[in-house]
Amino acid sequence: MPIHSGARIFVESLLREKVEVVFGYPGGKVIPLYDELYDAPIRHILVRHEQGAAHAADGYARSTGKVGVCIATSGPGATNLVTGLATAYMDSVPVVAFTGQAPTSLIGTDSFQEIDIRGITLPITKHNYMVTNVKDLAKTIKEAFYIARTGRPGPVLVDLPVDVLKSHADFIYPKNVNLPGYQPTYEGNYMQIKMAAEAINTSQRPVIFAGGGVINSNASEQLTNMAIRGRIPVVTSLMGLGSFPEDHELSLKMLGMHGTMYANYAISEADLIIGVGVRFDDRVTGKLETFAPHAKVIHIDIDPAEINKNVKVHIPIVGNVKNVLDKLIPLIKTVEREEWLEQIKEWKKQYPLNYEFDDNSIKPQYLIEKLDELCDENTVIVTEVGQNQMWAAQYIHFSKPRSFITSGGLGTMGYGLPASVGAQVGNPHKTVINISGDGSFQMNLQELATISSNKLPVKIIILNNGTLGMVRQWQKLFFDERYSATILDNPDFVKLGEAYGIKSLRIEQTNDVEIALKEALNYNGPVLMDVIIPQDENVFPMVPEGASIKEMMDLKKTKREKEKQGEVA
Amino acid sequence: MRHILSVTVNNQPAVLARISGLFSRRNFNILSLNVGETELPEYSRMTIVVEGNTDTLEQVKKQLYKLIDVIKITELNQSNMIERDMAIVKVNCGKNQRGQVIQVVDVFRGKVVDFSLDTITIEITGDENKINAFIEIMRDFGIKEVVRTGLVAMDREMNNNVLTN
């Protein structure tokens, strides 16, 4: 006896997966689904563009550790999810996306709003499905959530033809999944772990390189224990920020193109690198041939394909980071490495992050430092992509996992505002701050409406330099200051915020920064701050693309070069 | 280096697209890919011939394993496998040349599957080298059309080591 429509089975399945909130945008092919959602105990956040739905689900997932869910209709609705899914895929974020589809009888006929979204998303999802029979629906949803959250997490898309949503079947939610081709390895090989421990205990200059995998597997505590127990300094990737407390003396903050000089020096001089849940991305390694030339590499990762992909690994351990570290920690001895730690201290003293403070114009680094002072541990920082992102990564002291939400692998401009929607919905009692640039902000600013109508108290800080800052920085440094297509003629962001009913203010004076930030943070509701910053402020240090990470340009050096050039002229 | 992988996959729509898409996206050089149902209808087996060094091969295998629809990958050892390629070759061949052509076909243990007044069509199976050699010889007569399956291959059973050539 058929008892449920496909749409009803969809809702029941989501409830079994303990989904509390979905981000979506309705359309013709998902009306039956929305009709069921109308009465369901699931919160629906109506975004203003499907890309926003995908990013919001992603921000929700990163900040809560749960699976983020987004819904779009077929055709343009589905294709608008693509950038969001690709973003989640590159950073291993568990998201399940549901898309409407033309009825099965019309598939393949180029019918209205029909698109092969499964084909389109093949390379940017961990897995995807099209459900062609309502009897498979519950099982497919079960598998989709299971695949998204287990192993190396990632986005999964389920395409739902509208007739499947309308036809009926029994609702049987399977207890288990049966996927013979999907057997992630969770426990690391003990012999390998022992070898790793031995390599760590006998090394003179080890460095831990922690990435997003530490956060994904909730292993920050283990990571911290290991570092302290072994007295091993820690660098992180952009995705790993927050996995190790940055106020700890063993923290060297971020590595790579815009990492700290001391992190890059430490990696370059290390005799052992313990890569934990990282993928040795090119933004981190710089020129591969010169990356960590003296080091043996231990690599702990749940994805075997990451081993030896970019960097030659000497001791691979495939497994869940938390499980592996649990076994590894007891084998680690506290080794005195005073010389190494002294050297690192020296580098830290000699090459700190620095910028030139200015009374007259607001230095973005100064603003972020102030923000860091004013925020407590209960803060989630969400960024856009570009200079704003790098300044945030550099000048905020992250002490907790899931406190920094940013698009790393894909570098998606327009990510931050919708992601902060998701982060705020998932963390109603935390302060969610979107650090933004004027360029990125305008890529998804329609989500101001979502923030406003849902009364989400997100604090939006637009670092407004009237330009695509990071591209301009490259143009300045490597393209003879030919500023091709990087000047933005911006609208009045304060008026824009106000048009959406959001408290908005502009700050232009260094003196006003602290007062304005306090005002915004204390305000019970969303705030948009248009912060006018100098156009020529650049992110330092910097490793030029394709260079060795030891060859960092820093503020002092570039200034010196400028002076030298002046002398010559 | 040429590597031969025998890959068991779910027999489902879009699986071939997933696999071939993976190869193109990751810039792996694929020489041939064959797919057909196995003894169990829920699975298909693919014979994939890949070109690359051992590092590439390692990545190919690991990336393939990441696909949910990939059940098992076996790397076939050149010295211990049965490999077959099949070709259908249409050759220009008037009455006078028929005898000559059929002689060659016999030597190669091919099979004549069609005649016309001025062509002859041959089916031939064997390893790639044999088929390459046959096609080379047929060029002298003038090949009109060739169609090849690409490689299918399987591990030899080791415990009853009977040769089946």
Side-chain angles (χ1 to χ4, degrees), chain B residues 10-101:
Chain B
N10 284 328
N11 186 5
Q12 267 169 17
V15 174
L16 181 59
R18 279 182 212 286
I19 304 237
S20 56
L22 173 74
F23 277 81
S24 65
R25 176 164 64 97
R26 299 246 174 218
N27 206 13
F28 297 143
N29 195 6
I30 194 167
L31 295 176
S32 86
L33 193 161
N34 252 295
V35 57
E37 215 175 85
T38 65
E39 63 282 5
L40 301 168
E42 65 265 35
Y43 298 136
S44 294
R45 199 160 283 134
M46 294 185 176
T47 306
I48 306 176
V49 186
V50 197
E51 198 174 48
N53 57 26
T54 44
D55 289 348
T56 311
L57 180 71
E58 182 186 339
Q59 266 299 307
V60 168
K61 287 200 275 188
K62 285 173 166 178
Q63 293 294 345
L64 277 174
Y65 258 127
K66 280 177 74 166
L67 299 177
I68 312 284
D69 283 322
V70 170
I71 312 288
K72 191 166 184 262
I73 302 169
T74 316
E75 192 189 344
L76 298 178
N77 184 339
Q78 212 99 35
S79 63
N80 191 45
M81 65 173 189
I82 303 150
E83 55 171 311
R84 288 290 182 276
D85 195 340
M86 177 176 150
I88 303 175
V89 187
K90 192 183 282 171
V91 182
N92 289 325
C93 179
K95 265 189 220 154
N96 301 338
Q97 292 159 307
R98 268 189 201 157
Q100 272 176 292
V101 172

Side-chain angles (χ1 to χ4, degrees), chain A residues 434-439 441 460-465 490 493-494 496 528-533:
Chain A
N434 174 215
I435 297 178
S436 176
D438 48 325
F441 173 74
I460 303 154
I461 300 173
I462 304 174
L463 300 175
N464 185 351
N465 54 10
N490 289 324
F493 291 127
V494 171
L496 183 81
L528 182 153
M529 296 169 76
D530 183 21
V531 184
I532 309 302
I533 64 164

Side-chain angles (χ1 to χ4, degrees), chain A residues 207 235 252 261-270 340 344 347:
Chain A
V207 175
V235 302
L252 302 183
M261 296 186 76
Y262 40 93
N264 286 6
Y265 285 152
I267 283 283
S268 301
E269 294 303 320
W340 179 228
I344 281 169
W347 280 328

Side-chain angles (χ1 to χ4, degrees), chain A residues 371-392:
Chain A
L371 182 69
D372 190 32
E373 278 171 30
L374 294 172
C375 289
D376 59 12
E377 285 191 342
N378 250 344
T379 307
V380 178
I381 302 287
V382 186
T383 77
E384 294 289 349
V385 165
Q387 290 181 320
N388 64 83
Q389 177 186 33
M390 290 301 132
W391 284 320

Side-chain angles (χ1 to χ4, degrees), chain A residues 414-486:
Chain A
Y415 169 81
L417 191 64
S420 47
V421 167
Q424 188 72 79
V425 168
N427 301 274
H429 304 300
K430 288 190 179 174
T431 308
V432 174
I433 299 168
N434 174 215
I435 297 178
S436 176
D438 48 325
S440 281
F441 173 74
Q442 290 179 88
M443 281 209 179
N444 269 321
L445 64 80
Q446 75 285 349
E447 299 311 329
L448 286 175
T450 311
I451 285 173
S452 167
S453 64
N454 289 283
K455 300 190 172 53
L456 301 171
V458 176
K459 317 299 177 204
I460 303 154
I461 300 173
I462 304 174
L463 300 175
N464 185 351
N465 54 10
T467 177
L468 295 175
M470 191 57 100
V471 180
R472 185 189 154 93
Q473 175 167 343
W474 285 47
Q475 288 171 334
K476 182 186 174 69
L477 297 173
F478 313 116
F479 290 86
D480 294 332
E481 304 190 17
R482 287 156 54 85
Y483 299 122
S484 178
T486 41

